[in-house]
Amino acid sequence: MSLARIRIVLVRPQHPGNIGAVARAMKNMGLSSLVLVAPREFPAPEAVARAAGADDILASAQVAESVAQAVAPCTRVFATSARARKIPWPVLAPEQAAGALWSEAAAGHEVALLFGGERSGLANEDVDFAQGLVQIPVDPAFPSLNLAAAAQVLCYEIRRQALGPPPAVTDHVPTSQDELNRFFAHLETVLIGIGFLNAAHPRKLMRRLVRLFRRATPDQNEINILRGILTAIPVAGQPPANLDKISQE
Ligand code: SAH
């Protein structure tokens, strides 16, 4: 069932009642995969009460320690946000994001939609995992929706896609976050090795490069080409890298 491949990820939710209300919103729209990253309180009776019969979604919810873990197998990740961010990510309307998530899920891939906690939303470090931001076009004078209300809007848009005509079939093989992370580790090693990146302060440049590659959504072929290029770059003092070994890391 393709809708089951679309995971709703709540990052550091504060109120168990909202977790239950999100489960209810999901079940109404036929979604079932809920992942909680470091919830403040879960399981909780209040979550069950607000789920109003969607207890099965709570019972099967996975708890992850980090966003990285929550989205590891996913080939497409979008982050929802009430506010614009200083660093420009592509901003998608709910319908566009739902269409992209649905077509990839229908093609058999795991995908994720991230929601932030009630108090401060998603941190920029969380958004780094996403290929784009999704904003519900609310009144800018009062932009922040309740977490479960935001989840309801997005789950509804996903359902509309699922009820529509089937997405076009492509031979595009997308890359999972795990595979992308292995590429980033390889890239960082080579950039340090050739003296382009200062090993003591690699973060800022790496974050920018990570964002660039996530936005570009390279497929598996393209990642293999990039890994091949990295492998061919001579790094002083190191034997030539072995691609077979790297791909098993
Ligand atoms: N106070 C936080 C908002 C928290 S609302 C802030 O200013 O960022 C909880 C979550 O609901 C948000 O992190 C986001 O995932 C979602 N959300 C709320 N309003 C939204 C909107 N207008 N568009 C998209 N997502 C929204």
Side-chain angles (χ1 to χ4, degrees), residues 104-128:
E104 204 134 307
H109 306 290
E110 293 286 323
V111 298
L113 190 54
L114 305 180
F115 290 87
E118 295 84 344
R119 200 174 311 150
S120 45
L122 292 167
N124 281 347
E125 290 70 28
D126 304 323
V127 180
D128 278 348

Side-chain angles (χ1 to χ4, degrees), residues 9 11 79-83 85 94 114-122 134-139 142-151 154:
V9 181
V11 183
T80 57
S81 180
R83 53 200 158 92
R85 307 271 167 161
L114 305 180
F115 290 87
E118 295 84 344
R119 200 174 311 150
S120 45
L122 292 167
V134 188
Q135 266 177 332
I136 300 168
V138 287
D139 187 335
F142 194 56
S144 179
L145 287 163
N146 165 267
L147 171 57
L154 267 307

